[in-house]
Amino acid sequence: QAGLTQPPSVSKDLRQSATLTCTGNSNNVGNEGAAWLQQHQGHPPKLLSYRNNSRPSGISDRFSASRSGITASLTITGLQPDDEADYYCSAWDSSLSAWVFGEGTKLTVL
Amino acid sequence: QVQLVESGGGVVQPGRSLRLSCAASGFTFTNSAIHWVRQAPGKGLEWVAAVWYDGSNINYSDSVKGRFAISSDNSENTVSLQMNSLRGEDTAVYYCARELLARGSTFDNWGQGTLVTVSS
């Protein structure tokens, strides 16, 4: 099943901002948007943002999601050392009747 | 608090079967869906299957369709994943994750995962 496209890696300086992208098509990201998840090594993923760019309770407002057409974005402001992790996007694909994931972006905080 | 606990992982030979379970607690199981998502060693996340609390609305990824079967027991608040005809590429940590149907918050809580190793 075709997945979503994410850059493999992004590096940013401490306290700067990072914007991660996720490109799909009109059947997935362009249709219902994307969810964003953070995963630290050795731990299960954690949901950062879901449908309509909503944040679950307890997620910092430093994490904000948006979408333009078939590309979803996650912006992280005021980067902290603990933000260094893998970030995945995911979306429901209406043509496949399946959830699809991006391959993940490894964020390095310098 | 919300808890999802996976069990049933282990080492299995190619072609054999294994059954995973996901025990849910700390929330109202009805009006939720449970997803299975796997992660091969050193790789990214791959969605496997999902089922609503009442056993309806089942979906599978193409990679497991016809080999895996997901089911829900809402009297026990448990979701199972029956995995048949296992292959080496099924080796992964298998996570179950919750979706609140009314909110559309897919993957909002995760278990710790259970490792499945398919090897002769």
Side-chain angles (χ1 to χ4, degrees):
Chain A
Q1 280 165 311
L4 309 176
T5 300
Q6 298 182 252
S9 62
V10 169
S11 297
K12 291 290 183 180
D13 289 330
L14 191 66
R15 293 184 294 276
Q16 297 302 303
S17 296
T19 296
L20 312 182
T21 59
C22 168
T23 301
N25 59 41
S26 59
N27 294 315
N28 44 59
V29 176
N31 189 17
E32 296 195 23
W36 287 93
L37 303 105
Q38 177 193 61
Q39 186 180 33
H40 288 106
Q41 182 74 22
H43 292 270
K46 179 169 71 174
L47 184 66
L48 299 176
S49 172
Y50 61 98
R51 182 176 294 180
N52 297 323
N53 306 318
S54 301
R55 263 192 312 273
S57 61
I59 299 300
S60 169
D61 60 6
R62 295 190 301 108
F63 296 90
S64 63
S66 61
R67 175 173 64 107
S68 177
I70 61 171
T71 299
S73 300
L74 177 73
T75 297
I76 311 169
T77 58
L79 284 168
Q80 301 296 313
D82 190 55
D83 296 332
E84 189 162 289
D86 293 321
Y87 291 82
Y88 295 91
C89 60
S90 182
W92 172 253
D93 191 299
S94 57
S95 69
L96 299 173
S97 292
W99 282 85
V100 290
F101 277 93
E103 292 178 349
T105 295
K106 182 175 183 59
L107 175 64
T108 300
V109 179
L110 303 171
Chain B
Q1 74 279 21
V2 175
Q3 267 203 310
L4 297 168
V5 179
E6 302 93 340
S7 61
V11 180
V12 61
Q13 293 179 327
R16 303 299 290 265
S17 299
L18 205 60
R19 188 176 183 88
L20 306 183
S21 292
C22 172
S25 62
F27 65 98
T28 303
F29 191 69
T30 53
N31 296 319
S32 71
I34 297 294
H35 297 250
W36 285 97
V37 177
R38 67 186 182 184
Q39 188 168 35
K43 302 296 185 183
L45 302 172
E46 179 189 11
W47 179 81
V48 173
V51 63
W52 281 26
Y53 65 98
D54 59 0
S56 68
N57 210 15
I58 290 174
N59 288 286
Y60 299 99
S61 68
D62 284 347
S63 60
V64 307
K65 200 172 293 183
R67 298 188 300 124
F68 291 11
I70 191 171
S71 59
S72 176
D73 182 346
N74 64 0
S75 67
E76 297 286 335
N77 289 4
T78 299
V79 168
S80 297
L81 184 69
Q82 177 66 40
M83 304 186 297
N84 300 325
S85 303
L86 283 162
R87 306 165 180 167
E89 54 264 38
D90 296 318
T91 294
V93 173
Y94 284 73
Y95 296 101
C96 60
R98 185 188 76 166
E99 173 182 359
L100 284 180
L101 296 173
R103 194 177 294 173
S105 55
T106 312
F107 311 135
D108 68 356
N109 277 273
W110 295 67
Q112 291 298 309
T114 187
L115 176 63
V116 173
T117 303
V118 182
S119 173
S120 54

